[in-house]
Structures are given as C-alpha cells and as structure tokens.
C-alpha cells in the first residue's frame, strides 16, 4: 500500500514557515537587501537576466550531497560505487559537476548514455537499467564498454545474449530482482512490489541466473534491485529488500554460480515539506547489516537525493484573482507564468513543493491562504491549495524549492509553451546552461507536407 499523501495544511498540520524552509536548505539565504540568494547569487538577478520561468541549480549542493553519501558508505566500511541516476536531471552542467566528483551513472536509454558520455562519465562507470532496452541501445552500450546491464526479464536476457554473441562480445549482466517489498511510497513511484512492471520475480531469479550463466555472450556479475523512489520514514524497507538479496546471493554461490557485486538501487527520499527521511548513514548501515558479511562490492544509484535539493524553479506572478462569495468562493488564486508543463510533479503525484517569495519584504508580510496555479488550460495546472502566502503583485517573484530532480527533465511544450531556461550557480558565479527555447524554435521543428503548402490556406466558411 502506498504511503499516504501529506495531510492538508491546517491548524493541526501547519506548513513549514519560510524561515524553516530556508534554514533546512544550506544553499539558500534571505538577504535583507538582495532577497533570496542561492549560494552567493541573488535569484532576483537571475530572473531579471534570463526571465521566468527558469530553473536554477546549486553546484555546491550537488557536490555536498554526493560527498555526504560517499563518506557515509566509506564510514560504514563498504566497498561501494555511486552511479548517479541521470533521469533525475540530465543537464550537461549537472552531469559534469558530478563527474568531477567521481560519480558513475545509472541510465535507462541510449540518449542518457550519450549525455553521460558527453559529460565525461565513461561507459565503464555506467549501469544500464530499464524494462524496455531496444536492440540498437544494447548494441551501442556494449560497443562503448558498458559496466553493467541490468536485465529485467527472461526475454531480455535471451535478446542480450544474441546481440552480444553477434558482436563477439560478452555482456556484463546482473538480474534485477523484484523482492516484493512495499517501500511505502507513492503508488506511481514504487517499483519493488510483485504487481510492478520492474524486475524478475524473486522466486524465478535463481533459475534464470543459472540460465543466464549458461548462455553465450553473457558474463554474469551479480544481482540488482530498486524498490522505489522518495522513500521516507526509515530504512526498514531497504533492510527487508537487501536481506532477501543476501539470501539469494548465498543460494547462488552455493550452486557454484558467480556473483561479483550487488546493485542496491536508489530511492532515498528528501524532505519536500516536513518529512524526515533517513540520513545516508542509516542507509549505509542497512547495507552493512544485511549485505556486509557477503564481502562483495555494492553499488548505489541515487538521483533525487543528490539533485532534488540542488534546484529551484523561479516564476513570476501574472496576477492575483480573488473569487467572490457571490460566485460561491472567496478563494484567492495566485496565477504564475510557470505551469504544469514546467513542473509536472504536483499534477502527477500531488507533490508538495515549498514556495518562497524572493522579496525580503514579502517574506515578512502577513500571510493568507492562496491557491497557486499556472496559466495552462487544465484544472490540473495547480501547484498548491490554500498555501499561506503574502499578497503578491504582478511581476513579483517566487521560487519553488527542491525542484532539481524530475523537474526540467519532465517538462513539455504543452500549450506551445517554450522550455524554460536553466542556470547553474557556483559560489558567486552563475551561467545559463540551457537558453530559453523560443517560439521560433518550436515552429522550426515542424514540417508541412508539400501538398498542403501547394493547396494554400482555405478561406473560413461564411
């Protein structure tokens, strides 16, 4: 059963204050003159320079969080490698920051492999996951010298064997095991239950591993799992899953089958609102307690945990719309220029994101409930309901917090809205790392068949 969504804001469950939200995020600071800063750069300055909506990422947050996980694994005495899940944020600048820290990559498409290679993460440090790898993607990964392919079905194992054999190569392969463990997270981001599409049923995995070891073109290297995303509330689900993996490793070794490493997946949650996720030391402790006696190297594939707190989405207020009692509602609507096509998580997952005014004056002003919405022609284009916010005038700026993961990568051009700009902040420096898409860019990607061009445009019927 999925974890319940956060309780609605109210007297018994008040939203965190602006001060509390800032205090919990080391990259942010409210300056009395310049307003909200990321590292040493005023976010209002970035908004003036590049416009809004705009994504802004903190390089030092990426470094700090990667280092915290690396140090936790080392402190637990584990031989471990970290493979950043590129699907969380595949910006070249973000990938390069992490590559410089020594991160490997976890990818789920040939496009992501090309992106990580371009950013300096070698294929020899990259894991290829996913339930639907295509033949051309597998061949590309093998040709580049991929570190590991995580197979998710018997059919995929046979396909990889045929491709690798035809190329005269051996594919380093793990089996992704579905341990049937409920991670207690949102139903749309849980991946380790029996009804999910991911992985191979636990009871079927040993025989399939033996089959894999007997096939040509395959070099078995271990087993893998990934039980879900945004896991909070402790590490009990991890301990349950990793305990089952340890049991399977011992069984495979008893059969004389080679197991060289264990891929522990990712999913460690972050505090969007008032959640209390386990620290990386607790995750490292769970790995040590369940898998440590095996004496095998382990791998982790974090995405959100590293990138999520590193980013914000800047938006401008278009207008405030005040409902009237005569209309049946006294609700206040704050309409922004950011929309669900920019940040999809609230509409997809009922996700909560902190929303901060950039102005130091607004941050101290009286608050009243407001529904925060975008301009897209969908009722689902709603970011927050009854959120305590100050009165906001047209042109005022706000920041959506913890938007560094599953933000820009999930954006679309719905309603013919160009993709937002992306900016990297590093100390007192900042630079545009993806220019804002223009309406001309959108039209330039389209083609009109010759016969429509020749026909011209028909007049409207009278």
């Amino acid at each position: 059963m999925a974890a319940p969504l956060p309780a609605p804001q109210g007297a018994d469950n008040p939203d965190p204050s602006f001060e509390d939200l800032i205090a919990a995020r080391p990259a942010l600071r409210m300056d009395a003159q310049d307003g909200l800063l990321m590292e040493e750069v005023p976010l209002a300055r970035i908004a003036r320079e590049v416009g809004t909506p705009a994504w802004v990422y903190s390089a030092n947050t990426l470094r700090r969080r990667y280092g915290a996980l690396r140090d936790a694994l080392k402190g637990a005495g584990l031989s471990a490698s970290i493979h950043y899940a590129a699907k969380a944020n595949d910006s070249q600048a973000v990938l390069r920051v992490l590559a410089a820290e020594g991160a490997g990559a976890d990818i789920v498409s040939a496009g992501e492999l090309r992106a990580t290679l371009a950013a300096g993460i070698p294929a020899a440090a990259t894991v290829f996951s996913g339930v639907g790898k295509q033949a051309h993607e597998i061949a590309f990964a093998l040709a580049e010298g991929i570190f590991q392919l995580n197979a998710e079905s018997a059919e995929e194992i046979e396909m990889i064997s045929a491709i690798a054999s035809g190329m005269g190569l051996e594919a380093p392969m793990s089996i992704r095991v579905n341990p049937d463990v409920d991670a207690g997270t949102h139903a749309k981001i849980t991946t380790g239950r029996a009804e999910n599409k991911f992985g191979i049923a636990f009871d079927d995995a040993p025989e399939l591993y033996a089959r894999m070891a007997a096939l040509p073109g395959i070099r078995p290297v271990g087993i893998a799992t990934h039980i879900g995303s945004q896991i909070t509330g402790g590490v009990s689900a991890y301990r349950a899953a990793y305990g089952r993996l340890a049991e399977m490793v011992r069984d495979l070794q008893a059969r004389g089958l080679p197991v060289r490493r264990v891929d522990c997946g990712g999913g460690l949650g972050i505090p969007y609102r008032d959640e209390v996720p386990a620290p990386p030391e607790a995750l490292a402790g769970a790995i040590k307690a369940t898998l440590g006696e095996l004496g095998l190297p382990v791998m982790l594939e974090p995405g959100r945990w590293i990138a999520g707190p590193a980013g914000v989405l800047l938006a401008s207020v278009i207008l405030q719309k005040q409902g009237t009692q005569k209309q049946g509602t006294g609700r206040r609507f704050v309409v922004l220029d950011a929309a669900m096509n920019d940040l999809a998580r609230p509409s997809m997952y009922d996700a909560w994101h902190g929303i901060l005014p950039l102005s130091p004056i607004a941050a101290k002003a009286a608050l009243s409930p407001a529904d925060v919405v975008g301009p897209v022609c969908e009722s689902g284009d709603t970011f927050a309901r009854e959120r305590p916010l100050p009165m906001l005038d047209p042109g005022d700026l706000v920041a959506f917090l913890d938007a560094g993961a599953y933000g820009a990568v999930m954006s679309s051009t719905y309603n013919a809205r160009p993709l937002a700009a992306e900016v990297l902040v590093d100390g007192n420096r900042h630079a545009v790392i993806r220019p804002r898409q223009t309406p001309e860019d959108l039209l330039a990607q389209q083609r009109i068949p010759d016969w429509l061009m020749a026909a011209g445009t028909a007049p409207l019927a009278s």
Side-chain angles (χ1 to χ4, degrees), residues 20 56 175 269 281 345 406:
D20 289 342
V56 188
I175 283 182
E281 291 80 8
R345 296 189 70 256
Y406 305 107

Side-chain angles (χ1 to χ4, degrees), residues 73-115:
L73 295 168
K74 184 178 179 180
L78 295 166
S79 173
S81 57
I82 300 173
H83 303 262
Y84 167 71
K87 64 180 179 289
N89 185 322
D90 61 9
S91 162
Q92 282 289 291
V94 167
L95 293 173
R96 279 184 175 267
V97 168
L98 295 172
E101 295 299 301
D106 167 55
I107 55 104
V108 293
S109 71
E112 287 186 351
L113 178 54
R114 293 182 188 279

Side-chain angles (χ1 to χ4, degrees), residues 37-218:
L37 308 182
M38 175 175 278
E39 299 193 25
E40 300 173 43
V41 180
L43 289 171
R45 181 193 302 168
I46 293 175
R48 287 194 300 270
E49 291 177 3
V50 306
T52 57
W55 307 93
V56 188
Y57 310 122
S58 161
N60 281 316
T61 300
L62 296 168
R63 296 181 184 113
R64 178 174 54 81
R65 294 185 70 83
Y66 177 85
L69 182 56
R70 177 194 58 213
D71 293 348
L73 295 168
K74 184 178 179 180
L78 295 166
S79 173
S81 57
I82 300 173
H83 303 262
Y84 167 71
K87 64 180 179 289
N89 185 322
D90 61 9
S91 162
Q92 282 289 291
V94 167
L95 293 173
R96 279 184 175 267
V97 168
L98 295 172
E101 295 299 301
D106 167 55
I107 55 104
V108 293
S109 71
E112 287 186 351
L113 178 54
R114 293 182 188 279
T116 52
L117 288 171
I121 302 177
T126 299
V127 182
F128 196 164
S129 305
V131 300
K133 307 177 195 70
Q134 299 181 65
H136 71 90
E137 295 180 304
I138 294 167
F140 174 53
L142 291 173
E144 291 293 326
I146 198 79
F147 177 65
Q148 180 173 300
L149 291 159
N150 287 345
E152 303 212 17
S153 66
E155 294 80 1
E156 185 180 47
I157 290 170
E158 298 286 345
M159 180 171 66
I160 293 173
S161 171
I163 293 169
S165 297
M167 297 175 68
L169 298 172
E170 276 193 332
M173 276 180 54
S174 284
I175 283 182
R176 176 171 173 175
V177 177
N178 186 325
D180 196 17
V181 168
D182 187 351
T185 188
H186 193 286
K188 292 184 179 180
I189 52 177
T190 188
T191 61
R193 295 184 293 180
E195 63 265 33
N196 297 134
K197 69 179 181 179
F198 300 97
I200 293 163
F202 186 87
D203 292 340
D204 296 339
E207 294 302 324
L208 197 54
Y209 196 92
R211 168 64 179 159
M212 184 174 75
L215 285 172
I218 291 178

Side-chain angles (χ1 to χ4, degrees), residues 114-394:
R114 293 182 188 279
T116 52
L117 288 171
I121 302 177
T126 299
V127 182
F128 196 164
S129 305
V131 300
K133 307 177 195 70
Q134 299 181 65
H136 71 90
E137 295 180 304
I138 294 167
F140 174 53
L142 291 173
E144 291 293 326
I146 198 79
F147 177 65
Q148 180 173 300
L149 291 159
N150 287 345
E152 303 212 17
S153 66
E155 294 80 1
E156 185 180 47
I157 290 170
E158 298 286 345
M159 180 171 66
I160 293 173
S161 171
I163 293 169
S165 297
M167 297 175 68
L169 298 172
E170 276 193 332
M173 276 180 54
S174 284
I175 283 182
R176 176 171 173 175
V177 177
N178 186 325
D180 196 17
V181 168
D182 187 351
T185 188
H186 193 286
K188 292 184 179 180
I189 52 177
T190 188
T191 61
R193 295 184 293 180
E195 63 265 33
N196 297 134
K197 69 179 181 179
F198 300 97
I200 293 163
F202 186 87
D203 292 340
D204 296 339
E207 294 302 324
L208 197 54
Y209 196 92
R211 168 64 179 159
M212 184 174 75
L215 285 172
I218 291 178
R219 175 166 52 88
V221 295
I223 57 175
T225 195
H226 181 75
I227 60 174
S229 183
Q230 186 53 12
I231 299 171
T232 58
V235 294
S236 58
Y238 284 116
R239 291 180 71 100
Y242 298 158
R244 298 205 79 190
L245 290 192
E247 171 190 331
M248 180 173 292
V249 169
R250 294 187 182 97
D251 178 37
L252 295 174
Q253 290 175 331
R255 300 183 187 205
L257 295 168
V259 181
R260 295 180 174 87
R261 51 185 177 258
V262 178
D263 185 341
C264 297
L268 193 60
I270 63 172
Y272 285 101
R273 185 176 186 271
D274 53 6
E275 307 92 333
V276 186
E281 291 80 8
L283 177 59
I287 296 171
K288 179 72 172 179
T290 52
L291 298 168
E293 291 185 2
L294 299 175
L296 296 174
V298 298
M299 304 157 56
L300 266 78
E301 298 162 358
R304 181 198 315 270
W305 195 86
I306 291 176
V312 299
L313 173 63
L314 302 183
S316 297
V317 175
I318 297 174
L319 54 84
Q320 283 196 137
K321 175 183 174 182
Q322 186 67 53
T324 66
Q325 294 300 332
K326 186 175 182 180
Q327 293 172 318
T329 175
R331 301 180 82 96
R332 174 168 68 111
F333 294 91
V334 176
V335 185
L336 303 177
D337 62 356
M340 63 185 289
N341 72 291
D342 300 300
L343 181 61
R345 296 189 70 256
S347 60
M348 286 186 67
Y349 308 126
D350 298 312
W352 194 98
H353 283 265
I355 304 173
L356 289 180
L358 268 57
S359 163
I361 298 174
K364 297 286 188 180
L367 307 179
S368 62
D371 289 4
V372 184
V373 302
V376 158
C377 196
E378 297 280 351
S379 296
D381 187 22
T382 299
F383 295 113
R385 298 187 187 278
E386 299 188 310
R387 184 69 62 87
L389 288 171
M391 297 303 290
L392 295 166
D393 294 325

